[in-house]
Amino acid sequence: MLTAVNPATGETVREVTPDTDEQVEAKLAASLKAYHEWKEKSFSERGDLLKAVAKHMRDNVETLAPIMTEEMGKPINEARGEVNKGAWCAEHYADNAEAYLTRQVIESDATVSYVQYLPIGPILGILPWNAPFWLAFRFCAPSLMAGNSALMKHDPHVPGCALAIEQCFRAVGAPEGLFQALMIETPRVEAVMRDKRVRGVSFTGSSRGGSKVAEIAGSEIKPAVLELGGSDPSIVLADADLEKAADVLTLSRIINAGQSCIAAKRIIVEDSVYDRMKDLLSAKLRALKVGNPKLEETDVGPIARKDLRAELDRQVRTSISEGATCLFGGEVPEGDGYFYPVTLLADVTPDMTAFKEETFGPVGVLIRARNEEHALELANDTEYGLAASVWTKAERGQEMARRIEAGQVSVNGIVKTDPRLPSGGIKSSGLGRELGPHGIMEFVNAQQVWVGPVQGG
């Protein structure tokens, strides 16, 4: 059974019976059939459908957003924003896919030679719970606009979200089988990945899960895009606008109760402004309201699951025992639900758990750096390489970005995903890119066409 538990109360809110083997087979067959028809559609026809889906989402945001709040605890204001961001992604690719995939003429010994970008078939998206709508459209919008069909295997803890996303396509008359939610348990995913009708895999999740997906996809010689974990550094140097940095890093750390791969997880501050930054962050983090995610005034909702809260608590307690200073928070509250207080750990060093592991929750981690060089050394001292930010003079920040081992660097701004720009990681944070012109290229056939000289005359 696919079961959704409201993390604000601990109560089961939804149970969905998994697809049978016969239903999975029918969905795979329908996906392949839809692909063969969809790939012949023009970019304009594909775009019209994606725009219709986006409009449906915007028109029904007050119905869709509460499903996220109920199933994984996202504060209602953030949930509304996520639905609209997913719609924006659909609209962006509807408007730009044709330009991104324009035929590229390359001179050679041919009369004419070029590369054209063709769809490859049904693409499987394996998605996590923390951004159910956004991650679904980050996966499917470029794939569909490229001419592929899409199969979405969502996290089993958000079945209502998965079905609601599928219904958005059905509501606007999408071709049967073009976008489908596979309602299956995680152990059954491998068989779907290995099915010959599935031509590529997009996975967002843990590095451990990504390694398994890469192994399976590699053995089947199928392209895979992996967006995995991150222990994302944010470097704050002495010449930064400290007030702005504190505002933005506070927001980055607590969006979705800190359950984001690209959140500011390790805040590395130059020694001369360390104490000032500590005071600023303390004031801003302490002011946040943790509570019922259905209420408009709530800033931070619950952790999505009980086991995830227990893991976060272990990381915090272990870090304190290793010598970190807990300025506030750090105690699991009594009462219903899986709430965890906003917490700030100071004086964290590279040998501590909060430095080495990805913390998925509203826990700020402050690290002291002697200077710029030391800050860069600390930032790169991780197995991950997803995202980072730098707070300093703009020109200096751009120079530093070249030395940071991450797939995405923001200078004096929040790290975010944007349909217009590619995102993805290096090292244990993943393979490939999503979004922007680069993301749509991941699941296409870059076909070379060589046309020989005309013979005779």
Side-chain angles (χ1 to χ4, degrees), residues 172-369:
V172 300
E176 188 68 28
L178 182 66
F179 179 95
Q180 299 173 94
L182 282 175
M183 307 304 290
I184 58 175
E185 307 93 330
T186 300
R188 298 172 64 194
V189 176
E190 180 173 349
V192 176
M193 287 182 60
R194 293 189 183 280
D195 191 284
K196 65 181 180 180
R197 288 164 291 193
V198 171
R199 304 289 174 81
V201 182
S202 178
F203 174 85
T204 300
S206 69
S207 297
R208 184 176 62 180
S211 177
K212 182 64 175 175
V213 168
E215 178 184 348
I216 297 168
S219 71
E220 296 291 337
I221 318 179
K222 295 179 180 181
V225 172
L226 310 174
E227 202 266 35
L228 310 178
S231 185
D232 309 289
S234 294
I235 297 174
V236 182
L237 298 182
D239 59 355
D241 181 337
L242 299 184
E243 287 278 357
K244 182 180 178 182
D247 279 337
V248 173
L249 292 176
T250 295
L251 176 62
S252 177
R253 180 61 274 191
I254 60 88
I255 287 176
N256 200 30
Q259 300 168 114
S260 169
C261 294
I262 57 172
K265 300 190 180 74
R266 294 181 297 136
I267 303 172
I268 301 166
V269 185
E270 194 168 6
D271 183 69
S272 62
V273 293
Y274 180 88
D275 290 335
R276 174 61 178 154
M277 194 66 187
K278 180 172 67 175
D279 291 343
L280 287 170
L281 282 171
S282 294
K284 295 178 187 302
L285 288 168
R286 283 181 184 273
L288 297 170
K289 181 177 177 56
V290 179
N292 186 343
K294 294 182 179 180
L295 301 179
E296 303 282 343
E297 62 267 26
T298 295
D299 298 306
V300 183
I303 302 300
R305 301 198 309 266
K306 187 176 183 179
D307 62 307
L308 297 175
R309 182 178 68 169
E311 173 63 7
L312 181 66
D313 185 52
R314 177 197 67 79
Q315 292 172 315
V316 169
R317 289 182 179 277
T318 302
S319 298
I320 294 170
S321 70
E322 292 164 341
T325 302
C326 184
L327 300 178
F328 51 86
E331 295 286 341
V332 175
E334 296 182 0
D336 296 331
Y338 311 137
F339 294 94
Y340 195 84
V342 176
T343 299
L344 184 58
L345 299 179
D347 308 318
V348 173
T349 56
D351 58 327
M352 295 180 187
T353 299
F355 186 102
K356 294 184 291 185
E357 298 181 8
E358 179 180 26
T359 50
F360 228 55
V363 178
V365 174
L366 277 170
I367 301 153
R368 191 187 299 265

Side-chain angles (χ1 to χ4, degrees), residues 125-145:
I126 306 171
L127 308 179
W129 50 267
N130 59 327
F133 278 75
W134 166 242
L135 296 179
F137 281 87
R138 188 176 75 175
F139 146 67
C140 78
S143 291
L144 291 172
M145 282 305 301

Side-chain angles (χ1 to χ4, degrees), residues 48 104 141 151 364:
D48 286 346
Q104 181 183 8
L151 290 158

Side-chain angles (χ1 to χ4, degrees), residues 140-156:
C140 78
S143 291
L144 291 172
M145 282 305 301
N148 301 307
S149 57
L151 290 158
M152 179 184 69
K153 187 276 172 191
H154 225 318
D155 187 278

Side-chain angles (χ1 to χ4, degrees), residues 85 88-90 92-93 96 100 134 138 142 227 262 408 410 414-424 433-439:
K85 189 175 182 180
W88 175 32
C89 188
H92 174 79
Y93 277 102
N96 293 282
Y100 288 159
W134 166 242
R138 188 176 75 175
E227 202 266 35
I262 57 172
Q408 180 176 342
S410 291
I414 194 168
V415 174
K416 61 185 177 181
T417 48
D418 182 322
R420 298 165 293 189
L421 299 169
S423 64
R433 290 295 179 267
E434 295 180 295
L435 302 175
H438 302 75

